[in-house]
Amino acid sequence: MSQNRFQQHLVPVATLLAVGLVLWYLLAIWLNAAGVIERVLAPQGAWSWQELVAATFSMQRPVLPVPHQIALDLWTSIFDAPLDSPRNLLLHAWVTAGATLTGFLMGLVLGGLLAVCIVHSRTLDRALMPWIVASQSVPVLAIAPIVLIILGSLGITGMLPKATIAMYLCFFPVTVAMVQGLRAPQRLEMELIHTYSASRIQTFFVLRLPSSLPFLFPSLRVAIAAGLAGTIVAELPTGAQAGLGARLLTGSYYGNTLQIWSALIMAALLGVVLTALVAAVEYLIVGRRRQA
Amino acid sequence: MNAPHPTELQASPHSALETPVARPAVVARKASVIYQAADRPVHALSEIDFTINRGEFVSLIGPSGCGKTTLLRVIADLEPITSGEVLVNGMTPSDARERRAYGYVFQAPALFPWRTVLANVMLPLQLIGRSKAECEAIAREQLGRVGLAGFEKKYPWQLSGGMQQRVSIARALGFEPKILMMDEPFGALDEITRDKLNEQLQQLWLRERRTVVFVTHSIAEAVYLSTRIVVMSPRPGRIVKVIESPLPFERDLSIRDTPEFTRLAQEVREALAEGHQ
Amino acid sequence: MNAPHPTELQASPHSALETPVARPAVVARKASVIYQAADRPVHALSEIDFTINRGEFVSLIGPSGCGKTTLLRVIADLEPITSGEVLVNGMTPSDARERRAYGYVFQAPALFPWRTVLANVMLPLQLIGRSKAECEAIAREQLGRVGLAGFEKKYPWQLSGGMQQRVSIARALGFEPKILMMDEPFGALDEITRDKLNEQLQQLWLRERRTVVFVTHSIAEAVYLSTRIVVMSPRPGRIVKVIESPLPFERDLSIRDTPEFTRLAQEVREALAEGHQ
Amino acid sequence: AEKVTLQLKWVPQAQFAGYYVAQAKGYYKEAGLDVTIKPGGPDISPVQVIAGKSADVVVNWMPDALAAREAGVPLVNIAQVFDKSGLMLTCKKASGVSSPKDLKGKTLGVWYGGNEYPFLNWMGKLGYKPGKDITVLKQGFNVDPLLQNQAACISTMIYNEYWQVVDAGVKESDLLAFFYQDQGVASLEDGLYVLESNLRDKAFVAKMAKFLKASFKGWNDAVKNPEEAAKIVVAQDASGSATVAVQKRQMENVAKLISNANTPKIGYLDPAAYERTVKVLMSGGSDPVIKKDPGKAAMTHMVWDAAAK
Amino acid sequence: MSQTKLPGAIGALLAIIPAGLALSQTFSLSGFDPVIPLPALHSPALRIAALQIVCVLLAAQPLRCLLGTLPLLLGSLLTGALLLLSVPSGESEPATAFWLLCIAQFLLARTSVQRLAMLDSPPWVATLTAVLFGLWMLYFWQLLVTAFAVPRVLLPAPADILLALFTEADKLGGDFVQTVLKSVLTGYVLGSGLGIATGIAIERSPFLQRGLLPIASLTSTIPLVGVAPIAVMWFGFDWPSKVAVVVLMTFFPAMVSTLAGLGAAGKLERELMHSYAASPRQQLLALRLPAAMPFIFGALKVNASLALIGAIVAEFFGSPTAGLGFRISTEAARMQMPLVWAAIVLSAIVGSALYSLLVLCERRVNFWHPSVRAAQS
Ligand SMILES: Nc1ncnc2c1ncn2[C@@H]1O[C@H](COP(=O)(O)OP(=O)(O)OP(=O)(O)O)[C@@H](O)[C@H]1O
Ligand SMILES: Nc1ncnc2c1ncn2[C@@H]1O[C@H](COP(=O)(O)OP(=O)(O)OP(=O)(O)O)[C@@H](O)[C@H]1O
Ligand SMILES: Cc1ncc(C[n+]2csc(CCO)c2C)c(N)n1
Ligand SMILES: [Mg+2]
Ligand SMILES: [Mg+2]
């Protein structure tokens, strides 16, 4: 069945990607043409169409680099430098992944705790829940520098400030899903447990927690993606430290468009890997009992 | 009130019914339940008076909304009474619940999908802190009794609706409740499965002689299973008639074609119709 | 084949049954349906042969999984047949569907929660482009017929299950289908509501004499409603027996206590048991 | 060893080579210091860092430092390594700018975050009101607005962004650069600042003196040997984006801003230059950068003197 | 199944300990002598402690209605205000008595919120509870920032922020126009609209759907804010580049949810429409689109905060001299922290307002959906 689905999707996805690639090349010619003419070709005098296309595909500082340029840059930035060198993109991906995962775990704990409190306390449900929703309207991404400085003044430096920002973005989906999930047990199931005269703690572990898992995992996938975005943005203001966000920033700073693009692609790959990680954990925990 | 029965042995719990001082499992005195609905209060139960003796199989029957479920819930401490008194084994329902007096079987099986069949049956036993081995032994035994030996490792959603309901009954029985409460346990099943389960339940009761309070919509089911049938009527919920069953305790499905059965069913139907006015 | 009936008028559609050349509404010839399940193919229907004449009320009864739903779906063009032939009013089911031949009532009411009761009944009429006023008039009339006048402005979730099912029936009827298909329409309701709806459906059929194909699990329901009962058996799905009902067309619920009824029910039960082996 | 934390104003680059060289060559260690150099970034304000007590000493531009004083963070200049300003406004000739007068009606890229003061000052002097006579855009940290022709002129540093424009393929002959120095609105750039309250502490002053001495040694080396400095800086760049060639050129240009390199005067804040800067900052018309003359309170030679001994 | 105890009563009673301690402390400070210590009565700490004890007594009242809770509410607010006014200003270290009063005040605040949360009706009491909770949070923020003399360049007090909101209203107004009206709203409407439209358009093309869905769900794992520097490079420093980022960030969630929603119509309902021989257009209008609305609103709500984040982050990489992102980053560097926080508060208000507006719309559009019905009853 899944084999079948895979094949069903393969052809359309491949087709669309191919169309996208072609469009990309055309767009690159169109976008880069002006700059190429002004800075590369015009100084040399007369030029032909072929020269224009070739030049737009191999520009130093393109407005839109073409895919093979990016692929090449990715390749060199992964394989041409030792793994522990700051020139290696994998190192930066690793740094970002570390902060994201730390923040994600922190967010998981915080979100879970909040959800448990909210489900068990009417006061917190009424008083806190609206503020948790409002908290997500605060553009933490914009206040990342302030958070970094406040945390810095409290002696928290290094990876933790970034992880804190990631946590801020992660905890929300977790809380919302957990609140929903912990309340998911039907009245019937709650009453059943009640006739056994189970304690609150027993009810939590025997009924509420297991029934919240199906809600939790989809939210975890959302959370880790949000956390990654948070980490990357938290890496922007600190500038040239390690991490994909720093690569984005310095790429922009040194006018290295290719570097921006490879950092973006790497971030995308990292996002996919991290979500796959969550999916794998989900499969391990609930996979085999999922309904057919 | 209780006609002694030829098949009855003196030693069985049912013999209690025959002694002059019956041992009551449930006593309700002028018990009323009023729901505060949005617009106006609903009299779900109105001054109910009745007694269920130990070892009886009592069915509650009545039209939708007459308060059958409410009565069951009151007995099981799932709903407080507004006035009057309900005693279970001489205690308040709440105390009885704390002493694990109840096994409750709902209309839906209410099994936990993340637990295997075995683990579902073990659940109530684990909650009261029985050892794992003990839980498992009891659960296996109960599953055997409802004919589900060999299905221990399955998950609920791998079973048919009828099998699920049997798991739910095994779970309630494993708890060794003093009183088994069943709220339309077979309502969602098809007729054939239902017949089978009716038969099994009857045999089970015959074997164990637990007190059973059973809610149903089906006249045939009520007549087939019960030693006593309580007919209720709505608005406000009250008891119209209590019918003692003259049928022998040992029954099989063919009893449904006997004239006695038909007469009893007719009596119930008339009582129902009466209450329906 | 069809015994002429005393209450029958020559002019009614039912009279067709009495003419030597009955006008068939549905004809199935060696119709088979095989589902390609993951592991192995499931023979849901195996070489079914049968005919439903116009104006008949035919019930399909059989144990779970015997292919009743599949047969209904095949007739209504919701499922293709694997081999054989099915004709509806002389056309393929697909053509018949395009000509709006069907009113389908599912086990669940399948009402659209964002539409009022009235708008739900109007839906199929709007789809075929009837004017708004006309739609509304028809819908109101149909709602009146199923006893829901005054509930037009309510939303489905403000009604009880039985009322919702009646809306769904009104919706199917308002469409003026040539054939009314009902797949366990009352399966989810309690016995008393079910009895009432049975009575209403019977009267409705009597009034309008539409062709009805009705799936049920309940022997009593099948016997009470039908002019013909088709008993099916599973693995592979096939027709075990077709029983003509000798009951008069005009019936009320009390007919269930007549010996004729009981005999018919017994016949159906035996046929079912036979197929069950 | 005594701990010192230095907060830079920007990402690791040759602009801060002196400190990195002193660190790499062990000058700090020799002086008995354990120095942590914290790189800055576009949204890291050194003032906030020092106010949050996460740094002992920061590299900052004087306008920003004086503005911080008024906002309640009393910074004091203890040394001024760059005695000339490298800030300029670079325009494409094609956009029709040939003198400051032509700026009217143009879109100009300006760095914010405390670096906008000299520019606003200059415009005040020219009588141009931002938003009315000129369109100001908050320039990001690169030269794209000029390359994409989104702005007529952008802010550049002589040692960095200017060359990025050139590297991108724009010929120097097509560019026109206005030096703030030449426009009379120059202010002192990279200086070292500490909190006023700390200066009351003798031990702190002694520590800073050691720090200055070692840093100056680093600067002298960097000016003498740009290649080596560039390599050291590149090694310190955790983002792996800096290249030796670019940093070496930057170092060579930075060297031109340190006239006192390899003289005993290195790092000495010329009181006249200080007063000039203060005057410029107070003359901003209706919206001056600082309203109160800080007098001599915002600078001290105490540490420098101690270091010179 | 319901417990009937008075929430917060224990907490409130606990408050009597610190309040009493503070009381005795001020007594001993003012030189307790057997004659009534008249000067002590003028000590603010004494007055606050006494009032707090009165509040504790009010809290012990088992009145379960708004009127019964009101005295406690007002009383605790009053003691709070007095306490705030008596914060030792500037250099001098707050006395032990002060901290004791703070603890008592905290316990009172907690009880007041709990008491309000306990009330069942009317519905706006729930909102009031949240508001009160927020007020107390701000209150303790103010109290602690003042008491600990936290530097304003790090964390300003709420009062300063409020002041900045008013004094700098015209600057913030300009930022609002720039960021919210020009960037966020345009991008949000464009991105979500295009996403929904695309979803509807490709709903009938399984090929495009099968191709686009995996790609679209992939993009949900990609940190799209990363394209901000590229967007600024392509579309300039003004609002178009922000719109581009916002469109990109909101497009895919809208499309994916629309597709999921269109596919969410039940099998039964679809077969019903099939049996009516409804045309694809009729199926869309009568069944699929209404059934998709809850999903679409889900995406619209998520997109609301994504849009704000996208626009503000894009302002990092270049902007005109207005905009909330511009304000936050530049004023932070200028040490105008109250203004920075005012801008943050403004964007939070905008975000919450947008969200609430959507919730209101959803209640009207999806009135039939069980989640909405549950929320209303
Ligand atoms: N929580 C409640 N709030 C208000 N009214 C209720 C509540 N629960 C039940 N009722 C009302 O009380 C009456 C009795 O309900 P109950 O569920 O006991 O009936 P029942 O006999 O079990 O019906 P059914 O056969 O449909 O299950 C009904 O009129 C019902 O509407
Ligand atoms: N989509 C399907 N794919 C594979 N097998 C199917 C599918 N639908 C039905 N079946 C199988 O076909 C057989 C007939 O199913 P059908 O639903 O027609 O039975 P039914 O008589 O309606 O049963 P019930 O009374 O439970 O509704 C069953 O064995 C069922 O498992
Ligand atoms: C957002 C931003 N703000 C300020 C500056 C200015 N700045 C601070 S240190 C330094 C030296 C870099 O070469 C420069 C130019 C910038 N570049 N980008
Ligand atoms: Mg009930
Ligand atoms: Mg079926």
Side-chain angles (χ1 to χ4, degrees), chain A residues 253, chain D residues 9-10 13 15 111-112 115 141 157 159-161:
Chain A
Y253 176 48
Chain D
K9 185 175 175 52
W10 197 246
Q13 55 182 1
Q15 183 188 2
W111 286 318
Y112 273 78
N115 305 311
F141 18 76
M157 301 304 296
Y159 47 79
N160 188 5
E161 285 82 1

Side-chain angles (χ1 to χ4, degrees), chain D residues 211-231:
Chain D
F211 171 75
L212 285 191
K213 196 166 180 168
S215 302
F216 295 158
K217 218 168 143 194
W219 272 117
N220 287 336
D221 284 8
V223 169
K224 259 189 283 188
N225 193 345
E227 169 108 29
E228 179 196 54
K231 281 187 181 142

Side-chain angles (χ1 to χ4, degrees), chain D residues 63-104:
Chain D
D64 192 25
L66 294 183
R69 260 190 101 79
E70 287 203 345
V73 186
L75 292 184
V76 178
N77 180 306
I78 56 168
Q80 183 66 37
V81 180
F82 288 27
D83 53 310
K84 289 207 200 79
S85 160
L87 184 60
M88 55 195 198
L89 195 67
T90 303
C91 310
K92 267 191 181 167
K93 282 184 181 157
S95 63
V97 179
S98 54
S99 79
K101 296 254 163 331
D102 303 326
L103 292 179
K104 189 164 181 171

Side-chain angles (χ1 to χ4, degrees), chain C residues 73 97 100 113-114 127 157, chain E residues 271 274 276 282 290 368 373:
Chain C
R73 291 170 59 81
R97 180 175 62 80
R100 331 262 175 182
W114 51 86
L127 290 182
W157 28 272
Chain E
E271 290 187 339
H274 182 75
Y276 295 146
Q282 286 175 327
W368 51 271
R373 270 151 46 199

